Amino acid sequence: METVAKYNNLVNQHPKHMTLIETLFHQGTLRQMLVRLSKEKIDFMSIPNEENGFACVSSRDVKMYSKTGFRLIEKDKIMLFGLTECLADKDIAFAKKIAKKIKCKALTKLAHSIIEDFEFSYQLEEMKNNGTEIIQL
C-alpha cells in the first residue's frame, strides 16, 4: 500500500506530467516517446500560456527555451508515469526496460515496486481465470 500512496502523491504533485502522459497516450505516441526519452537527448517542456501545450526539444536547447518561459518537465517522472500506462496494458517487459532508464534512484525503486505489484496482481488474475480459488485477507 505504501507504493500506491507514494505514486499517488507524485501524481497529485505533478498534474502537468500527467496531462502530458494522457496527451501522448491519446495520440498513440506514448510508447514511442518513452523510448525516445530513454535513448535520445530530448526533453519535454510545457509551453507558456498554454494549458495543455508541450514541446519536445533537444536537451541542449532547454536553457534557451527556459529563458522564453518554457518549463522543463522532469524526464524521470514522465518515464515513471508512462510505464504505469504500459502496465495497464499488461506490457511488463516494456515497463521494466523503461524503469531501468530512470536515473533517480528513489523513482527507480518506486517503479520496480509498482511493476512487482502489477506482476503479482496479474498472476492472481490468471490463477482466478484458470479456476483457482483465491482467498485474500
Side-chain angles (χ1 to χ4, degrees):
M1 203 59 173
E2 182 181 324
T3 301
V4 173
K6 284 182 183 178
Y7 179 79
N8 287 338
N9 189 33
L10 276 175
V11 167
N12 292 334
Q13 291 175 3
H14 301 284
K16 279 280 190 196
H17 290 66
M18 292 308 297
T19 302
L20 172 61
I21 294 300
E22 290 170 14
T23 301
L24 294 174
F25 178 79
H26 289 295
Q27 290 178 347
T29 59
L30 178 60
R31 243 181 111 90
Q32 296 93 325
M33 286 302 185
L34 290 175
V35 169
R36 286 189 66 198
L37 278 172
S38 70
K39 291 183 177 184
E40 298 176 26
K41 293 185 180 196
I42 61 168
D43 284 287
F44 275 97
M45 301 185 84
S46 61
I47 299 173
N49 304 319
E50 292 281 332
E51 182 69 27
N52 296 327
F54 303 98
C56 180
V57 301
S58 170
S59 295
R60 69 176 179 264
D61 294 334
V62 167
K63 280 187 180 180
M64 177 185 68
Y65 283 108
S66 294
K67 291 177 183 177
T68 61
F70 285 71
R71 292 269 192 209
L72 183 65
I73 300 176
E74 298 166 84
K75 189 182 290 193
D76 284 345
K77 290 178 183 155
I78 294 170
M79 290 194 288
L80 174 68
F81 296 149
L83 73 80
T84 60
E85 289 294 329
C86 297
L87 288 171
D89 290 336
K90 297 184 180 183
D91 194 347
I92 294 170
F94 183 74
K96 285 181 177 180
K97 287 179 185 177
I98 296 302
K100 288 180 183 177
K101 300 293 184 172
I102 297 173
K103 293 177 182 170
C104 172
K105 289 182 182 183
L107 293 180
T108 301
K109 184 177 177 182
L110 180 58
H112 288 296
S113 294
I114 291 168
I115 291 168
E116 288 173 9
D117 289 351
F118 268 84
E119 282 181 310
F120 182 71
S121 169
Y122 293 148
Q123 288 172 348
L124 286 179
E125 182 181 315
E126 191 172 311
M127 291 172 72
K128 286 179 186 178
N129 290 340
N130 290 332
T132 303
E133 186 175 339
I134 305 294
I135 301 170
Q136 292 178 296
L137 303 175

